[in-house]
Every structure is written in structure tokens, then in C-alpha cells.
């Protein structure tokens, strides 16, 4: 199935789908499930790509967060390389990582939803505050390997799941 977006001049569409090289903002979609379970970011955001062996990630950063795109992309690539070294390989996948300002100062939210990853961070990403947002990026990217759930804490020796993600 093919999806093409007709957007204003200077805009782009970012998706986790395979771009069709000879058509602007056109993508090949596997099936109806892939169509309904994917993020689409359309606008004047910054878009970059990370390629690792059998995996490709489109990193789309919008709004006031746009100047942080190079830092986020290099940080995400470092995390992906570290996990690849730890686990021996990267799963074959194509993902979209979308980052924007969200919530309030000091907050983080988001998750992995099939082939799309959301990062809503309450402060602009800088090198100085990377210890704050970097662990969140690493947590979300870890889902590429661990899939459905992460056990974030244990209370009285019992795992407490603080969120659930869709299996990839």
C-alpha cells in the first residue's frame, strides 16, 4: 500500500514507513495495521536518520526542541550502539522517534508504540542536562530489544510495572 502526503512548501512528513525515493512525502506501508499503528509528524521539523546494520531510525524533532536534533540524534545513536554491543545485534526494524517539548519543566513522558517512539520532555535538551533526558531516551530505545514491558521498580520483592508498551 502507498501513502502520499500533499503538504505546504517547506513541510515534510516523517513516518516509520519505507520512503519511496522518487516521490516526495510518499511511503510504502506494509498493511492496514501498520497504517493505523504509526505516528506521522508533518511540518517544518528537523529530520535525521540513524542506520545500524538491519535497523533504521528516523529522528524527527519539532518546535522549540528543533535545535537539539543533532544532540538527540548522536545520543540515540550512541545508545543504540551500546545496546547492540550488549545484546550482540540490533533487531531488524524501521522506527520513527519523535521528540517535542511536553508537560512542564522537569517532566518526561512518552513510550514505544509499535514502530513509533514518543519523547515528550519538559525542558529543552542540552549537553548540560543530558544526564536528565538521556536516561529517558535510553529507556525508550531499550524497548527495541525487550519488547512489551519494562519492570522499573521492585517493592517488597515484587515487580511493579509502571507502564505497558505494545510488542514490537
Amino acid at each position: 500500500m502507498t501513502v502520499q502526503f500533499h503538504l505546504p512548501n517547506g513541510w515534510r512528513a516523517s513516518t516509520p514507513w519505507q520512503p519511496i525515493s522518487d516521490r516526495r512525502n510518499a511511503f510504502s506501508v506494509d498493511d492496514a495495521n501498520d497504517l493505523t499503528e504509526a505516528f506521522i509528524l508533518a511540518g517544518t521539523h528537523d529530520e535525521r536518520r540513524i542506520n545500524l546494520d538491519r535497523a533504521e531510525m528516523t529522528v524527527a524533532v519539532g518546535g522549540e526542541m528543533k535545535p537539539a536534533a543533532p544532540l538527540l540524534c548522536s545520543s540515540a545513536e550512541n545508545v543504540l550502539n551500546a545496546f547492540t554491543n550488549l545484546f550482540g545485534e540490533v533487531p531488524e526494524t524501521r522506527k520513527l522517534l519523535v521528540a517535542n517539548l511536553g508537560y512542564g519543566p522537569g517532566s518526561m513522558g512518552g513510550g514505544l508504540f509499535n514502530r513509533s517512539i514518543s519523547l515528550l520532555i519538559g525542558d529543552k535538551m542540552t549537553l548540560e542536562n543530558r544526564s536528565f533526558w538521556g536516561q529517558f531516551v535510553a529507556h525508550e530505545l531499550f524497548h527495541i530489544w525487550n519488547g512489551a514491558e519494562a519492570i522499573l521498580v521492585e517493592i517488597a520483592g515484587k515487580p511493579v510495572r509502571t507502564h505497558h508498551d505494545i510488542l514490537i
Side-chain angles (χ1 to χ4, degrees), residues 6 13-14 17 23 39 44-45 54-55 76 79 85-86 117 151 156:
H6 300 280
S14 296
W17 307 319
R23 294 171 60 191
F39 290 178
T44 59
H45 56 279
R54 306 175 311 150
V79 167
N85 289 335
L86 179 66
I117 301 168
I151 299 170

Side-chain angles (χ1 to χ4, degrees), residues 48 53 88 126:
R48 296 163 187 264
D53 298 325
T126 66

Side-chain angles (χ1 to χ4, degrees), residues 39 96-100 109-113 116-120 136 140:
F39 290 178
L96 170 65
L97 179 130
V98 177
N100 273 302
L112 183 128
F113 308 90
S116 303
I117 301 168
S118 171
L119 301 175
L120 294 172
F136 178 50
E140 295 307 333

Side-chain angles (χ1 to χ4, degrees), residues 28-42:
S28 176
V29 180
D30 292 342
D31 54 35
N33 186 57
D34 197 26
L35 182 64
T36 60
E37 295 290 331
F39 290 178
I40 301 165
L41 183 61

Side-chain angles (χ1 to χ4, degrees), residues 26 39 51 53 65-66 70 72 109 133 151:
F39 290 178
N51 292 295
D53 298 325
M65 199 71 89
K66 200 157 66 167
L72 173 59
W133 58 265
I151 299 170

Side-chain angles (χ1 to χ4, degrees), residues 43-149:
T44 59
H45 56 279
D46 188 292
E47 180 184 277
R48 296 163 187 264
R49 296 223 191 300
I50 299 171
N51 292 295
L52 293 170
D53 298 325
R54 306 175 311 150
E56 181 177 327
M57 181 173 292
T58 300
V59 178
V61 184
E64 293 178 47
M65 199 71 89
K66 200 157 66 167
L71 180 60
L72 173 59
C73 198
S74 68
S75 297
E77 189 167 13
N78 289 341
V79 167
L80 290 169
N81 282 320
F83 284 144
T84 301
N85 289 335
L86 179 66
F87 296 114
E89 67 180 359
V90 63
E92 185 172 350
T93 188
R94 173 181 293 279
K95 299 248 185 264
L96 170 65
L97 179 130
V98 177
N100 273 302
L101 281 176
Y103 307 115
S107 66
M108 293 183 282
L112 183 128
F113 308 90
N114 200 4
R115 291 175 44 193
S116 303
I117 301 168
S118 171
L119 301 175
L120 294 172
I121 301 174
D123 301 293
K124 292 179 184 177
M125 291 180 285
T126 66
L127 192 56
E128 293 74 27
N129 69 1
R130 185 165 54 183
S131 62
F132 170 71
W133 58 265
Q135 62 185 333
F136 178 50
V137 171
H139 170 88
E140 295 307 333
L141 295 180
F142 181 65
H143 287 298
I144 294 170
W145 282 268
N146 80 340
E149 300 178 343

